[in-house]
Amino acid sequence: MPLRAHIRELRNRVLLATLGLLAGAVVGWAFYPQIFAALQRPVVELASRRTEVIALNFGGVATPLDMQIKVALFAGVILSSPWWIYQLWAFVTPGLTRRERWTTIGFLAAGVPLFLAGAGVAWMVLPMAVGLLAGFTPQDAVNMIDAQVYLGFIMRMVLAFGLAFLLPVVMVGLNLAGLVRGSTWLGGWRWAVLLTFVFAAIATPTADAISLFALALPMVALYFGAVGVCALHDRRADRRALLDEDTGAASDPADRSAAAEPA
């Protein structure tokens, strides 16, 4: 596919993914009260256990509206994840054979649950992170948490965890497209483990080891699982290529003898 066609395809996929996100954001707007109640629950539960005042603060006149828009878009990203994950895969499939395009079902069956699993891990870690960070508040002080800062904190954690869990799916996709072999992924496992822990340390805002390992260990396991899938695909592809070569070599003498026979 020419470069211009690749750019056009990318533009179309981004547009379709954006439309899906906006559709999910409409649903998020409609259910904003329920979503916001769930988002602030860690703060409410923490405030009920401590003596000092801890609450979300809307610091401006337009802040509640801005907050509702951002929450709706955040919900749209989560709700439309099957759609934009499919668009990501559909951008890769033009480089695949017709047989390999059937893996779209497997890609979605793996990608969507992995993204949601990563977001779920972040949601489980979130109360602990909020409690640990707010725990530094002095005894008789007031901790009025800026609502937009708090939302940005949650969005970074949930999306970072969710996208991190998509790494093995991207690895397998690049392998199916013939861009990276499984042996290449395996050869860089030391760097992969190191970068995984660095990413986990950055993505988890708390300094506790539980949050770090809760993200890093599943990512490492998923990385090696993807390496195994890539290795199996490479073995089948190499076997198929060798069989094609043998079939072609076996047919050459017959073709030459047929061509040498007098008409």
Side-chain angles (χ1 to χ4, degrees):
M1 184 182 294
L3 177 60
R4 182 175 298 178
H6 271 295
I7 295 175
R8 189 182 304 114
E9 177 73 10
L10 177 61
R11 181 193 62 193
N12 293 337
R13 295 301 172 185
V14 170
L15 177 60
L16 291 173
T18 302
L19 292 176
L21 188 151
L22 292 176
V26 172
V27 179
W29 181 278
F31 290 92
Y32 170 74
Q34 294 85 348
I35 297 174
F36 183 76
L39 291 176
Q40 73 168 347
R41 186 175 298 121
V43 175
V44 174
E45 293 178 351
L46 179 65
S48 65
R49 297 194 303 266
R50 299 180 64 89
T51 57
E52 66 271 15
V53 177
I54 300 176
L56 294 182
N57 178 46
F58 290 82
V61 176
T63 302
L65 175 60
D66 187 45
M67 185 75 171
Q68 185 165 351
I69 293 173
K70 290 181 177 179
V71 169
L73 291 174
F74 173 66
V77 173
I78 303 299
L79 295 174
S80 65
S81 57
W83 176 247
W84 59 258
I85 290 174
Y86 166 73
Q87 297 303 323
L88 172 65
W89 179 253
F91 177 69
V92 178
T93 50
L96 302 180
T97 64
R98 181 175 299 179
R99 179 185 299 178
E100 288 170 336
R101 290 182 187 179
W102 284 101
T103 57
T104 299
I105 298 176
F107 179 88
L108 291 175
V112 174
L114 284 174
F115 176 80
L116 296 178
V121 171
W123 189 255
M124 290 188 295
V125 172
L126 181 64
M128 180 169 46
V130 172
L132 181 63
L133 294 175
F136 291 98
T137 305
Q139 183 66 31
D140 296 324
V142 175
N143 189 349
M144 303 300 292
I145 305 171
D146 185 88
Q148 297 200 57
V149 173
Y150 177 74
L151 176 62
F153 169 75
I154 294 177
M155 289 177 62
R156 282 194 300 271
M157 279 195 66
V158 172
L159 295 180
F161 276 52
L163 293 175
F165 274 51
L166 281 179
L167 174 64
V169 183
V170 175
M171 292 170 57
V172 174
L174 293 174
N175 176 258
L176 292 177
L179 299 176
V180 184
R181 289 183 61 86
S183 57
T184 303
W185 291 123
L186 182 60
W189 73 269
R190 293 179 180 83
W191 280 104
V193 172
L194 175 62
L195 292 176
T196 296
F197 276 88
V198 171
F199 173 81
I202 296 173
T204 52
T206 59
D208 64 298
I210 297 178
S211 301
L212 187 145
F213 281 101
L215 176 58
L217 291 183
M219 285 184 63
V220 171
L222 291 171
Y223 178 88
F224 284 106
V227 169
V229 174
C230 293
L232 290 176
H233 173 261
D234 290 340
R235 182 179 300 178
R236 287 196 298 266
D238 293 342
R239 189 180 304 162
R240 189 162 55 245
L242 183 60
L243 181 61
D244 292 341
E245 290 179 1
D246 292 342
T247 303
S251 62
D252 284 344
D255 293 341
R256 287 195 298 268
S257 61
E261 291 179 357

